[in-house]
Amino acid sequence: MAVVVAVAVVGAVAWWLARRRRVRERDVLWVANTGYLATVPAFVSWVRRYRALQGLAAVSLLTAVVGAGAVAARPVETDVVVDRLGTRDIVLCLDVSGSMIEYDGAVLRVFSELVDSFEGERIALSIFNSSSRTVFPLTDDYALVQEELQAGVEALDEDPADFDYTGGSDDADILVFTTFTAGTTANLAGASLIGDGLASCALQFDEGAADRSRSIILATDNYVSGEPIYTLPQAADLVSSRGITLHGVFGGSARYEGTPEETEYRQVVEAGGGLYFLADDPAAVQGIVDDVVAQQAVELDATPEVIVTDTPTAWFLVTVAGVGLLLVVAWRVRQ
């Protein structure tokens, strides 16, 4: 529409100037003995100014026509964008039995901080005690992830052993904890069933997504109370058979290093090629997660996308400037 208007204006002005010139030619009145006017300074100056205005009008008309033609040709800018998609799938598999609470809160807090740097990675969170609950499945909806991780931090930052269950100021904290861990004690025959919890986490991944690296970060102290369906080695075999790398965080003090539970946990994780850490200091979780994310960094090139953007602004401004100048010159000539 803007191009049509510009062309119409230019055509109208050109027609008006031509018509005015024809009218003046018809109205010419020849006067005798006026040859001396060519030597009058004021008259010579007026003629020069008039001819300069005529030349400027021609330049203005040419500018407007060229600008309008360029706009009509639809100038564009083409960019080829190739996105790189992160292809990590990471399942946080957290033992939420009482002895693990302080380490789980630290793990969730670090992941909450890391989510801002993720692009394309998918994260899932599964918690377990005697039974498992999926807090959220694999997703790259980072708003949801942040919301759930923050809820986990708030729920697991307090040790349930310190709660006052007789009624009082701890009631709100108890409600937050029991709400977040609901569904993890459905099996009354035991507690902290590590193998069953890990097997449940192994089922969080999509079938057939071989182009995405898969890893589980298991945080537990490997203290089993009850009879699980899967032992830890059996669950680790299931994880390995599904092409998943298991990383372990031993949630216990360094003084437990070398105990049968800690030794079994280390051997199982390292036998599968995973990373293993002692989390005696919750601040060390930052380094743990950094190492896991760095080791599992895999990227794929997405299909190139061609982005075509119209860029008529500059030529449109040239057209407007030409038409505006032409109108001013026409008005000045008329004077």
Side-chain angles (χ1 to χ4, degrees):
M1 180 60 72
V3 175
V4 174
V5 172
V7 172
V9 171
V10 170
V13 172
W15 173 83
W16 180 80
L17 290 175
R19 178 178 177 277
R20 184 172 180 81
R21 185 165 56 252
R22 288 195 301 270
V23 170
R24 287 184 174 178
E25 289 174 354
R26 288 199 308 266
D27 296 339
V28 171
L29 180 62
W30 297 99
V31 180
N33 301 319
T34 57
Y36 71 94
L37 291 176
T39 62
V40 176
F43 181 78
V44 172
S45 176
W46 182 90
V47 171
R48 288 176 179 172
R49 185 166 58 251
Y50 180 76
R51 289 176 178 172
L53 289 173
Q54 284 182 317
L56 186 57
V59 172
S60 302
L61 179 59
L62 180 61
T63 300
V65 170
V66 170
V71 172
R74 291 192 61 187
V76 298
E77 183 178 273
T78 302
D79 293 319
V80 178
V81 178
V82 180
D83 292 327
R84 298 188 66 82
L85 303 177
T87 58
R88 290 182 290 254
D89 282 350
I90 304 172
V91 173
L92 306 182
C93 193
L94 305 187
D95 178 355
V96 293
S97 59
S99 60
M100 282 297 302
I101 298 304
E102 65 171 309
Y103 302 104
D104 289 337
V107 171
L108 294 180
R109 188 178 298 106
V110 170
F111 265 82
S112 179
E113 296 171 357
L114 289 177
V115 164
D116 289 337
S117 64
F118 284 174
E119 184 177 356
E121 288 84 356
R122 299 190 302 178
I123 306 173
L125 173 60
S126 179
I127 59 177
F128 68 90
N129 190 347
S130 63
S131 55
S132 296
R133 179 174 83 87
T134 300
V135 179
F136 55 86
L138 283 171
T139 180
D140 57 4
D141 181 350
Y142 298 135
L144 169 67
V145 170
Q146 287 284 27
E147 181 180 342
E148 294 295 342
L149 291 179
Q150 185 58 39
V153 169
E154 294 173 0
L156 302 177
D157 256 353
E158 298 293 335
D159 188 342
D162 296 333
F163 289 155
D164 179 6
Y165 292 95
T166 62
S169 59
D170 288 342
D171 286 352
D173 292 334
I174 294 172
L175 179 60
V176 171
F177 176 79
T178 56
T179 299
F180 186 78
T181 59
T184 61
T185 56
N187 183 358
L188 302 179
S192 194
L193 303 182
I194 313 302
D196 293 350
L198 177 57
S200 177
C201 290
L203 301 178
Q204 296 291 324
F205 297 92
D206 300 336
E207 290 292 341
D211 58 340
R212 303 185 68 89
S213 69
R214 301 174 170 189
S215 60
I216 292 176
I217 300 178
L218 173 63
T220 181
D221 54 11
N222 197 30
Y223 281 87
V224 181
S225 177
E227 292 295 329
I229 298 174
Y230 285 88
T231 64
L232 178 60
Q234 289 172 338
D237 289 341
L238 174 64
V239 168
S240 178
S241 70
R242 296 173 66 86
I244 304 166
T245 302
L246 174 63
H247 305 287
V249 178
F250 180 73
S253 171
R255 65 177 178 272
Y256 293 109
E257 185 176 3
T259 61
E261 293 80 8
E262 191 274 332
T263 300
E264 178 192 43
Y265 189 15
R266 179 191 296 271
Q267 290 175 346
V268 166
V269 171
E270 292 181 346
L275 302 173
Y276 180 83
F277 304 92
L278 295 174
D280 184 52
D281 179 6
V285 175
Q286 176 70 60
I288 294 169
V289 177
D290 285 347
D291 284 347
V292 171
V293 171
Q295 187 188 66
Q296 293 296 318
V298 177
E299 291 184 337
L300 293 178
D301 286 335
T303 302
E305 180 182 1
V306 179
I307 300 176
V308 179
T309 306
D310 288 329
T311 56
T313 305
W315 286 109
F316 178 74
L317 293 176
V318 169
T319 304
V320 171
V323 171
L325 183 59
L326 184 60
L327 292 175
V328 171
V329 172
W331 170 81
R332 189 68 184 86
V333 169
R334 186 177 181 181
Q335 299 299 315

